[in-house]
Amino acid sequence: MTPRAADRARFDRATAHLDAPVAIVDLDAFDANADDLVRRAAGKPLRVASKSVRCRALLERVLARDGFAGIMSFTLAESVWLARSGFEDVLLAYPSADRAGFAELAHDPKLAAAVTVMIDDPAQLRLIDDARDGGREEIRVCLELDTSWQLLGGRVRIGALRSPLRTPGQLADLARAVARRPGFRLVGIMAYEGHVAGVGDALAGRPVRSRAIRLMQAAARKELAVRRGEVVRAVRAVAPDLEFVNGGGTGSVQHTAAEDAVTEIAAGSGLYVPRLFDNYTSFSGRPAALFAQPVVRRPGVGVVTVLGGGYPASGAAGADRLPVPYLPEGLRYDAQEGPGEVQTPLLGSAADDLLLGDKVWFRHAKAGELCERFEVLHLVEGDAVTAAVPTYRGEGYTFL
């Protein structure tokens, strides 16, 4: 029996009492992935990205482990909810225009102490002040650095379109704007190098492109390490009590941790290890989050049809954004249909061994987005479900 076949047998036994569709998290794999992230961080704390987990119970589980400290959230409403739920260090990773959320921060000392908001423009400070509604609590602020690698005078850009702040002088100017404005305190810098952390460099069957990605990433890391160090020195000259410099992501943990200027690493997808994180030379994780769909038809030899399963991930549309049939091995999509809204035909010899009601296990493309489809995650230990915990959706929250 192959390791994957053994996993299938284990998951089927664990969920035999549950009808599909069903989503699970294999806690043995989840914990092993957490250990690997800590190893790669080499002593620097990991801030867990909540968008990649979207389950309070699992956020609590990972934050109880040595090596993890704090949450990186994705909306202000989520940040406030997490802080009210008892999480004491929540860094909002994106600027917000949530005026009601800013008013809550400005009126509640506990929330204001727990949540740090992101800015990259002085206008965002004015928006927050306009939203205070009389609240006088000091708002904790983080500045975001643009990490993109730019060539030919900026005519070629590799990296996400995020912050407009690129140079030490630009960040120092905004740091001074924060210092001059009553009611704000600058506490951190964030820089997410998505073109390194979120792009696999070992694409199956594409050795030339994989080599090109590795060369790009090595050059980009070198440029960013120098520039990030200069930015941190410039900002610390304005705000010497800066609490943290956050960087990285699952795919770049060990590289970002090696920079002296960085004090903490962000990571989240490496806990679930969805399919987009299979193609890295720097690490290898264990798939921990999966979902199963039930076989509901047998249209012919070598074909079964499962219910639903069309759960595409965000980002530029492409085959890499689709879930993949994982267990049993040897199943593939019909090229004319793909994964469907209400049914998904699957082809392959393994189909002939499946009966109506059997489960087909899938891996999704992006980590936390699975939780937008399911209200409950069933936690598997060994060959048993030991707990069922709600996702954000299961608690009644869909923040985006």
Side-chain angles (χ1 to χ4, degrees):
M1 183 181 289
T2 67
R4 278 175 61 175
D7 279 343
R8 180 196 175 199
R10 186 162 60 88
F11 299 152
D12 282 349
R13 285 195 300 270
T15 62
H17 62 296
L18 299 171
D19 287 335
V22 64
I24 65 167
V25 172
D26 180 356
L27 290 181
D28 292 338
F30 182 90
D31 291 342
N33 293 334
D35 287 341
D36 186 62
L37 288 169
V38 170
R39 176 189 62 80
R40 291 197 286 135
K44 290 189 176 177
L46 288 150
R47 184 181 290 274
V48 61
S50 62
K51 78 176 184 65
S52 300
V53 179
R54 302 193 201 201
C55 171
R56 278 200 303 166
L58 290 174
L59 289 172
E60 291 167 354
R61 183 183 184 91
V62 74
L63 286 170
R65 303 176 70 87
D66 290 340
F68 286 85
I71 289 177
M72 178 175 281
S73 59
F74 59 96
T75 73
L76 183 53
E78 180 211 15
S79 306
V80 168
W81 177 65
L82 290 172
R84 291 199 185 282
S85 300
F87 296 96
E88 297 179 348
D89 180 5
V90 182
L91 168 62
L92 175 58
Y94 306 88
S96 177
D98 180 354
R99 291 175 172 80
F102 287 129
E104 284 191 77
L105 287 187
H107 280 272
D108 190 318
K110 180 181 176 182
L111 291 181
V115 175
T116 300
V117 304
M118 189 68 60
I119 68 165
D120 56 30
D121 189 315
Q124 290 154 355
L125 297 174
R126 294 193 292 274
L127 186 152
I128 295 170
D129 266 342
D130 290 344
R132 284 179 179 271
D133 192 28
R136 297 181 177 275
E137 294 299 324
E138 186 175 66
I139 305 299
R140 293 166 54 86
V141 168
C142 179
L143 310 182
E144 182 171 0
L145 165 68
D146 169 36
T147 66
S148 66
W149 186 38
Q150 298 187 13
L151 305 170
L152 302 177
R155 291 190 293 276
V156 175
R157 175 194 177 99
I158 299 173
L161 290 164
R162 293 177 63 110
S163 171
L165 304 177
R166 181 168 182 81
T167 68
Q170 288 173 323
L171 278 98
D173 285 345
L174 187 51
R176 282 188 282 271
V178 174
R180 289 193 299 266
R181 199 172 189 101
F184 294 91
R185 180 157 61 96
L186 178 58
V187 297
I189 300 171
M190 188 194 84
Y192 171 58
E193 52 268 41
H195 50 301
V196 179
V199 177
D201 63 351
L203 307 179
R206 306 184 72 180
V208 175
R209 180 168 176 78
S210 297
R211 173 65 174 163
I213 290 172
R214 287 194 290 273
L215 290 173
M216 176 276 290
Q217 290 178 337
R221 287 198 307 266
K222 183 176 179 180
E223 184 275 337
L224 178 59
V226 172
R227 185 159 52 90
R228 181 154 40 197
E230 293 171 348
V231 163
V232 171
R233 286 191 291 275
V235 173
R236 285 196 185 277
V238 178
D241 296 330
L242 208 64
E243 295 176 14
F244 64 85
V245 177
N246 180 281
T250 287
S252 69
V253 170
Q254 65 272 37
H255 302 298
T256 308
E259 295 183 33
D260 290 339
V262 174
T263 66
E264 63 175 39
I265 314 298
S269 296
L271 296 168
Y272 287 168
V273 187
R275 62 168 298 205
L276 281 176
F277 285 84
D278 285 348
N279 305 315
Y280 287 78
T281 57
S282 60
F283 78 102
S284 178
R286 292 171 54 184
L290 302 96
F291 69 94
Q293 303 294 109
V295 174
V296 293
R297 299 182 196 259
R298 294 177 51 85
V301 176
V303 186
V304 293
T305 302
V306 299
L307 185 70
Y311 304 156
S314 60
D320 64 337
R321 301 288 149 167
L322 301 179
V324 291
Y326 184 61
L327 303 170
E329 299 178 66
L331 295 173
R332 66 185 187 279
Y333 293 128
D334 178 85
Q336 300 302 313
E337 295 196 44
E341 178 187 10
V342 290
Q343 72 160 36
T344 298
L346 298 170
L347 313 181
S349 58
D352 293 330
D353 296 324
L354 290 168
L355 304 176
L356 294 180
D358 283 353
K359 295 181 176 78
V360 175
W361 294 92
F362 292 77
R363 292 180 64 202
H364 60 297
K366 292 189 74 174
E369 293 185 12
L370 176 67
C371 295
E372 299 300 327
R373 300 285 183 167
F374 290 88
E375 295 184 351
V376 173
L377 296 175
H378 296 274
L379 307 184
V380 173
E381 296 184 75
D383 60 358
V385 169
T386 56
V389 296
T391 61
Y392 282 10
R393 173 177 169 171
E395 296 200 66
Y397 295 97
T398 51
F399 293 107
L400 274 180

